[in-house]
Amino acid sequence: MMARVSQEIIERVRDASDILDVVSKYVDLKKRGQNYFGLCPFHNEKTPSFSVAPAKEIFHCFGCGTGGSTIDFIMEYEKIGFVEAVQRLGEQYGIEVQLTQAKGGKELFSNLYKLHEMAMTLYHKNLFSEKGKSVLSYLSDRGLEKEILEQFKIGLAHETWNELLTLAKKKKMSNETLEKTGLFLKTEKGTFDRFRNRIMFPIFNTAGRVIAFGGRALDPEDPAKYLNSPETPLYRKRDIFYGLHSARQPIREHGYAIFVEGYMDFLQLFQAGIQNVIALSGTALTERHALQIRKFTHRVVLAYDGDSAGIDASVRAGYLLLRFGIEPGIVQIPDGMDPDDWVRKSGADELKEAVDKAVPVLLFHIQTKDAKSLPSVQRSEFIKDVVSQISGVSDGIIRDDLLKSLAQEMRVEESDLLKNMNSQKQRNLKEPIPASSRESNEIPLTSKVQKAQVILV
Ligand SMILES: [Zn+2]
């Protein structure tokens, strides 16, 4: 039997890779309208008839007729097989491609997509039904118009235990499919709909297919205000931005992306014409997110909530982006509001202005912690903390610039900061971090365990 790649891996590679990013490594492309053109690498020509359509994730040559997906391009260009092409792309995008001898779950995947599609249609129809009237008017009070609700297929899960389940069974979906979609709960008493009495936000992958949901509780007493789909073969939280399928073209055009925390923030901004926006779907920013966004832009403006949790999260996200060579600016949202509130209260122009004046992460960090007037012990702690953040930045020029502004702002000698950074690095070398704990969203191992692991290795 031939070596194969599981369907799950293929989907992940497809989703992570970006046609423009991949092809432009081989072909010099120029933008014309929505698409990009260049000289075809597959036939001899003097005028460009080779095109790439980023919105559709395909390439096509009007001269020789060659065309297809990102994987097809690599196969054709490198003259290699499907599995090898998936492996190459996997390497490029940090996805481990393991080969299996088992047969792939192509059917399972198409059923998982189908079931999500079905759920989205059901929830969306519910919102515009008689029973959805009060929720619809709530959303309209929050400033969301019908067009935006339709564009992003916002929906409503009724307060029933089996509305979706009944539909799925009628469509003869297998138990395996039901279990793996994450749309149901399995208990001793049976299987039930996971999402009940919630406003439903479908989460799309970059190709625009629905792969998960976020649900906002309608009952103010509900302990979980937001509930998201669990991790499934289709959905990996740490890889997915909410809204990226609609925002990636605007992001390319503006040359930067705006990050917000919530679905409502996203919808409000998008509706107000600020469309280079994406939301973290119920998770903190991860390294995988940074890799993902770097395919589209090297500049990010963080417009997180204006409360203290939002401020701390944006500082953390800012330093993480810096480590990946992405330049972050931070918007200070006034009076503990979130971007959604702010746009509704003051219109989009104030927010746009604030985005233009976004503050570099280091300055924002110093300002919000009022670091310049801290007593000396805390001041020293603050500086060491920032130095350790800066030492993780791999780009030497960015790192030097950061050290320079830290020295200037805090009125310390740059050479002292450099010394501190080097001694921190020395210490880190003595206590290597196991590869498994490097993911930013995993809990770091205690140093005792780390040491034990190092000894074992
Ligand atoms: Zn051609």
Side-chain angles (χ1 to χ4, degrees):
M1 201 180 200
M2 251 172 60
R4 322 180 37 131
V5 186
S6 76
Q7 192 66 22
E8 179 175 352
I9 299 284
I10 296 170
E11 299 286 336
R12 281 176 61 199
V13 167
R14 258 194 201 131
D15 206 42
S17 58
D18 176 61
I19 186 110
L20 195 56
D21 187 39
V22 170
V23 174
S24 56
K25 288 203 170 70
Y26 303 90
V27 183
D28 190 24
L29 294 167
K30 296 256 159 11
K31 192 168 184 220
R32 214 191 293 157
Q34 293 289 306
N35 299 328
Y36 292 75
F37 285 83
L39 293 174
C40 180
F42 306 120
H43 83 279
N44 220 334
E45 65 175 5
K46 295 251 158 56
T47 51
S49 47
F50 175 86
S51 73
V52 171
K56 295 183 198 143
E57 282 289 323
I58 54 166
F59 73 96
H60 177 76
C61 175
F62 293 96
C64 64
T66 314
S69 68
T70 311
I71 297 173
D72 295 324
F73 180 85
I74 296 291
M75 287 169 68
E76 196 69 35
Y77 193 95
E78 302 282 0
K79 303 281 175 246
I80 54 179
F82 180 80
V83 170
E84 212 182 324
V86 172
Q87 279 178 310
R88 294 259 179 115
L89 286 169
E91 262 165 42
Q92 203 175 324
Y93 291 102
I95 294 164
E96 197 186 338
V97 177
Q98 279 172 342
L99 300 182
T100 55
Q101 300 296 329
K103 67 178 174 68
K106 209 167 185 171
E107 202 193 325
L108 173 68
F109 266 79
S110 89
N111 281 334
L112 289 177
Y113 280 124
K114 236 185 258 167
L115 190 44
H116 275 89
E117 199 80 30
M118 240 159 65
M120 180 171 76
T121 308
L122 171 73
Y123 296 145
H124 190 60
K125 218 171 62 198
N126 285 348
L127 180 62
F128 290 93
S129 72
E130 195 57 34
K131 272 170 148 179
K133 264 196 170 148
S134 63
V135 178
L136 195 58
S137 79
Y138 163 80
L139 287 168
S140 125
D141 288 346
R142 297 265 323 230
L144 296 179
E145 284 153 28
K146 198 172 169 229
E147 288 72 28
I148 194 91
L149 299 176
E150 273 173 356
Q151 183 177 355
F152 290 93
K153 293 277 181 274
I154 309 305
L156 167 66
H158 288 316
E159 197 173 6
T160 60
W161 290 90
N162 58 5
E163 190 182 24
L164 183 60
L165 184 68
T166 310
L167 185 67
K169 290 212 162 139
K170 216 167 83 188
K171 300 281 178 188
K172 306 260 186 295
M173 289 287 172
S174 72
N175 283 335
E176 190 196 5
T177 309
L178 296 190
E179 224 167 278
K180 291 201 167 157
T181 53
L183 296 174
F184 304 97
L185 289 173
K186 207 175 162 190
T187 73
E188 285 164 6
K189 290 179 191 157
T191 302
F192 307 101
D193 290 7
R194 176 185 295 271
F195 296 101
R196 298 177 307 276
N197 203 24
R198 286 175 184 272
I199 298 174
M200 299 300 288
F201 302 87
I203 297 169
F204 301 93
N205 64 13
T206 36
R209 302 186 79 171
V210 54
I211 52 167
F213 290 90
R216 185 186 190 283
L218 285 167
D219 179 359
E221 301 294 304
D222 197 309
K225 188 176 171 196
Y226 279 96
L227 182 70
N228 278 324
S229 286
E231 303 264 309
T232 70
L234 295 183
Y235 177 55
R236 280 186 168 65
K237 269 189 198 130
R238 63 199 178 109
D239 287 348
I240 298 290
F241 286 110
Y242 178 72
L244 184 58
H245 70 292
S246 305
R248 59 182 174 170
Q249 202 52 32
I251 288 171
R252 280 197 173 111
E253 278 157 19
H254 284 82
Y256 69 95
I258 301 171
F259 286 9
V260 293
E261 288 185 88
Y263 306 119
M264 296 298 273
D265 300 321
F266 171 90
L267 295 171
Q268 201 70 252
L269 265 62
F270 202 92
Q271 179 178 265
I274 304 172
Q275 303 195 329
N276 52 331
V277 62
I278 45 185
L280 278 309
S281 78
T283 169
L285 190 79
T286 66
E287 298 182 353
R288 308 258 339 153
H289 283 126
L291 286 170
Q292 174 92 326
I293 197 65
R294 207 168 56 176
K295 293 186 301 193
F296 303 100
T297 181
H298 285 253
R299 214 150 66 81
V300 165
V301 172
L302 299 160
Y304 284 14
D305 297 355
D307 59 4
S308 67
I311 289 171
D312 288 348
S314 55
V315 168
R316 273 198 306 276
Y319 285 121
L320 188 144
L321 291 168
L322 274 176
R323 288 208 292 280
F324 285 82
I326 298 165
E327 186 194 334
I330 300 180
V331 173
Q332 174 100 61
I333 310 275
D335 310 323
M337 288 192 286
D338 55 35
D340 172 28
D341 302 326
W342 200 20
V343 169
R344 266 187 300 146
K345 189 165 166 259
S346 320
D349 287 345
E350 259 184 45
L351 179 75
K352 275 187 198 161
E353 234 170 80
V355 165
D356 289 337
K357 290 184 197 147
V359 183
V361 58
L362 178 60
L363 294 186
F364 181 84
H365 193 191
I366 292 171
Q367 280 167 18
T368 52
K369 289 279 180 245
D370 202 8
K372 287 182 194 177
S373 38
L374 288 173
S376 59
V377 175
Q378 278 149 293
R379 198 162 161 271
S380 160
E381 285 299 313
F382 176 85
I383 292 173
K384 276 180 211 155
D385 176 38
V386 174
V387 167
S388 99
Q389 297 284 359
I390 293 175
S391 72
V393 176
S394 53
D395 185 317
I397 297 169
I398 301 177
R399 202 172 51 223
D400 289 348
D401 281 351
L402 286 167
L403 272 190
K404 205 166 283 164
S405 19
L406 180 62
Q408 266 166 15
E409 291 295 323
M410 299 303 289
R411 294 168 190 273
V412 287
E413 290 296 328
E414 206 184 321
S415 56
D416 288 342
L417 295 181
L418 205 60
K419 246 182 264 165
N420 183 277
M421 188 158 88
N422 289 333
S423 72
Q424 284 195 21
K425 271 188 188 156
Q426 288 293 323
R427 235 172 299 144
N428 289 342
L429 281 179
K430 279 180 200 148
E431 283 182 43
I433 300 161
S436 62
S437 74
R438 262 183 220 141
E439 299 262 5
S440 62
N441 53 352
E442 283 170 19
I443 302 154
L445 300 173
T446 65
S447 70
K448 238 187 200 167
V449 178
Q450 275 179 23
K451 276 178 200 149
Q453 288 217 345
V454 172
I455 293 165
L456 285 174
V457 173

